[in-house]
Amino acid sequence: MTQNLLLDLNQVAKSFKAADGKSRLILDKVDFQLKDGEIVALLGKSGSGKSTLLRIMAGLIPADAGKVAYRDKAIGGPVAGIAMVFQSFALFPWLTVQQNVELGLEAQGVPAAEREQRADAVLELIGLAGFGGALPRELSGGMKQRVGIARALVTNPDVLLMDEAFSALDVLTGETLRNDMLELWEEDRISTKGILIVSHNIEEAVMMADRIIILSSDPGSVRCEIKIDLPRPRDVDSIEVRALIDEVYGLMTMRATHEAAADTPNTRHLGYRLPETDVSRIEGILDLLADTPFNGRADLPQLAEEAELSDEELFPTYEALSLLGFAVLEKGDIMLTPLGKKYVEVEQAQKQELFGQQLLTHVPLAAHIRRNLEAETSGSLSEEPLIDLLEEFLKSDEAKRVLEVAIEWGRYGEVYEYDYHTGRLTLPEGNQE
């Protein structure tokens, strides 16, 4: 199969206006190509703009700058050759499976008899023969997503965009559906020439893709690319696949130690990029890491399996552990620092004291709050000025989320207190004049 260019993005940028009217840069100078005959996986943490980029490719939203083309023609709206599968299934509950699948064909003006014939064929292909008359509420999650995939495939798209298409499913169902899609692709039973998958699941990306693109965050831009030459189907337990999974984990966790250097002086000063994780999860991973069989050092995929948490849930926790000095990340492994080992061993009061010390040392936002409280004669401070400060760099909802994390961590470390009724922060009892 010749590798003609299907999608071509050059220097693509996208901003959105926040509630305060300020513009927030979501994507910046993104270069990307999807070629005929390849599956590409797009990975990135929250704030990397993965779904926004996918919607730009689908023609659902425009880019603010740069080139976006499908087969050398600029994308100015939805394109007949590009179809999208959503995480949320996006089915119309009042329509039958057959009617849901036929929607795209109806929009294209395809006659009813041909719509029915093509829908029947694709439902059989995707494993839903006999379910055309069912309503979505009668289907399992896996079957609903099969309907979503069938609705995309029935239009015979050149390009299939899959936005977290398997993430809402349980592990076994997601893996089965993923393998079924790969079988259809490898056997040329679908007309699709290229597939782009947005995912949080590193194993899924390595098992499916010919290339993996990793985006940096805030704003999203292409950080690196990994080419995978292994034939499919791939053995998840093979040395080659495990090595690739480790490599991708290592690249995905680089933010904690390297990516911070890209922050501006103002954002470094505020320390506003706090990972979204809570103290209980931080301590849970610390305890798991310290215990047998890891004994202070773990392979990240194995730790994720033991913790029974997704990569999306764990990456912020890894970042928090690194930020607070309790662990270090290195090439897909995580290791307790001497301080992390001490933290696990000491009593609860000492844990909180250590947490507070590390918070003031390594999280400028927490230190900023504490200094301002100490400067106030009342020892009290409203949260509003802090939100206003954060909104200079973040969207309103993100600013509130970051402050919530800083408040939870600070309360646990007894750096400050917070009254949820009044929205005010205070110095802990015994620290006030």
Side-chain angles (χ1 to χ4, degrees):
M1 191 181 284
T2 57
Q3 285 211 319
N4 297 319
L5 207 56
L6 297 173
L7 289 172
D8 187 15
L9 278 67
N10 184 254
Q11 297 290 288
V12 168
K14 181 67 181 178
S15 298
F16 288 111
K17 279 192 175 180
D20 59 7
K22 294 179 182 177
S23 184
R24 313 293 183 199
L25 188 61
I26 305 299
L27 296 167
D28 187 34
K29 299 177 182 176
V30 175
D31 294 329
F32 171 78
Q33 294 181 332
L34 179 67
K35 297 174 183 176
D36 190 327
E38 70 174 353
I39 299 174
V40 176
L42 198 61
L43 298 177
K45 290 179 275 188
S46 297
S48 62
K50 301 184 301 296
S51 294
T52 299
L53 189 61
L54 218 60
R55 280 158 175 73
I56 289 172
M57 295 180 198
L60 300 178
I61 57 174
D64 293 337
K67 169 189 173 184
V68 184
Y70 163 66
R71 292 194 178 276
D72 291 327
K73 293 183 179 179
I75 295 176
V79 178
I82 301 175
M84 191 162 175
V85 180
F86 299 91
Q87 175 185 359
S88 60
F89 316 139
L91 303 180
F92 291 99
W94 58 88
L95 298 181
T96 65
V97 166
Q98 181 91 14
Q99 290 167 331
N100 268 288
V101 172
E102 289 184 15
L103 274 177
L105 297 176
E106 187 176 352
Q108 292 177 4
V110 176
E114 184 182 345
R115 289 202 309 266
E116 183 178 357
Q117 182 182 15
R118 286 170 64 176
D120 284 343
V122 79
L123 285 172
E124 183 173 353
L125 186 72
I126 205 72
L128 288 176
F131 284 90
L135 290 169
R137 68 170 180 268
E138 300 172 292
L139 306 178
S140 66
M143 293 172 76
K144 287 177 185 176
Q145 193 56 293
R146 286 180 186 271
V147 177
I149 293 170
R151 183 177 55 193
L153 292 178
V154 77
T155 61
N156 296 323
D158 261 354
V159 175
L160 186 63
L161 305 176
M162 307 187 79
D163 190 9
E164 303 277 0
F166 311 114
S167 66
L169 310 175
D170 65 80
V171 174
L172 184 59
T173 302
E175 186 176 333
T176 301
L177 186 51
R178 180 183 78 201
N179 290 337
D180 287 350
M181 282 297 300
L182 284 175
E183 186 176 316
L184 294 175
W185 168 265
E186 294 293 336
E187 295 177 0
D188 289 327
R189 294 168 64 193
I190 54 178
S191 63
T192 303
K193 303 295 190 298
I195 300 177
L196 178 61
I197 304 159
V198 161
S199 179
H200 276 110
N201 188 320
I202 290 172
E203 182 179 301
E204 175 181 289
V206 170
M207 293 296 286
M208 293 189 75
D210 300 298
R211 285 190 293 137
I212 294 175
I213 305 292
I214 297 178
L215 297 181
S216 59
S217 302
D218 300 315
S221 60
V222 176
R223 189 170 73 186
C224 61
E225 174 182 324
I226 301 168
K227 293 184 179 180
I228 303 176
D229 296 322
L230 300 176
R232 288 183 292 260
R234 295 167 186 161
D235 179 2
V236 72
D237 295 318
S238 71
I239 293 172
E240 296 85 357
V241 169
R242 298 317 302 177
L244 274 168
I245 290 172
D246 279 349
E247 181 182 354
V248 178
Y249 264 98
L251 290 167
M252 287 289 289
T253 53
M254 279 174 61
R255 167 66 179 92
T257 53
H258 300 289
E259 206 174 85
D263 292 347
T264 67
N266 279 341
T267 58
R268 277 203 306 274
H269 172 70
L270 285 174
Y272 77 109
R273 285 178 178 166
L274 295 183
E276 189 173 2
T277 189
D278 56 36
V279 174
S280 62
R281 183 162 292 169
I282 291 171
E283 293 196 335
I285 295 301
L286 275 173
D287 289 339
L288 190 60
L289 189 53
D291 205 356
T292 306
F294 301 119
N295 300 317
R297 179 172 187 142
D299 175 64
L300 290 177
Q302 291 178 351
L303 184 61
E305 186 175 339
E306 190 71 22
E308 298 183 345
L309 294 170
S310 68
D311 296 333
E312 183 182 7
E313 292 168 312
L314 283 172
F315 277 127
T317 307
Y318 299 152
E319 194 169 339
L321 289 169
S322 179
L323 176 66
L324 295 168
F326 296 136
V328 292
L329 296 157
E330 183 182 295
K331 295 182 180 178
D333 286 357
I334 184 168
M335 294 156 284
L336 286 179
T337 61
L339 185 65
K341 291 177 182 176
K342 179 181 177 181
Y343 188 92
V344 172
E345 294 167 357
V346 298
E347 297 297 323
Q348 182 61 36
Q350 289 176 279
K351 276 184 167 64
Q352 290 179 250
E353 184 181 353
L354 274 176
F355 197 97
Q357 289 171 357
Q358 294 304 102
L359 191 63
L360 289 173
T361 302
H362 298 290
V363 180
L365 177 57
H368 173 85
I369 294 170
R370 177 69 185 222
R371 282 195 305 271
N372 277 268
L373 284 171
E374 289 173 344
E376 289 285 338
T377 54
S378 64
S380 173
L381 180 70
S382 170
E383 67 180 351
E384 293 303 324
L386 296 169
I387 292 175
D388 291 342
L389 192 62
L390 291 168
E391 284 180 348
E392 292 180 22
F393 310 98
L394 298 166
K395 292 184 290 185
S396 178
D397 58 341
E398 181 71 1
K400 289 174 182 174
R401 183 201 65 77
V402 167
L403 186 58
E404 284 173 4
V405 172
I407 286 170
E408 192 217 351
W409 291 10
R411 292 180 72 218
Y412 181 75
E414 298 184 338
V415 173
Y416 36 76
E417 293 294 339
Y418 178 74
D419 188 321
Y420 287 93
H421 298 292
T422 63
R424 296 190 70 82
L425 292 112
T426 57
L427 287 171
E429 192 173 338
N431 285 268
Q432 300 182 31
E433 295 294 333

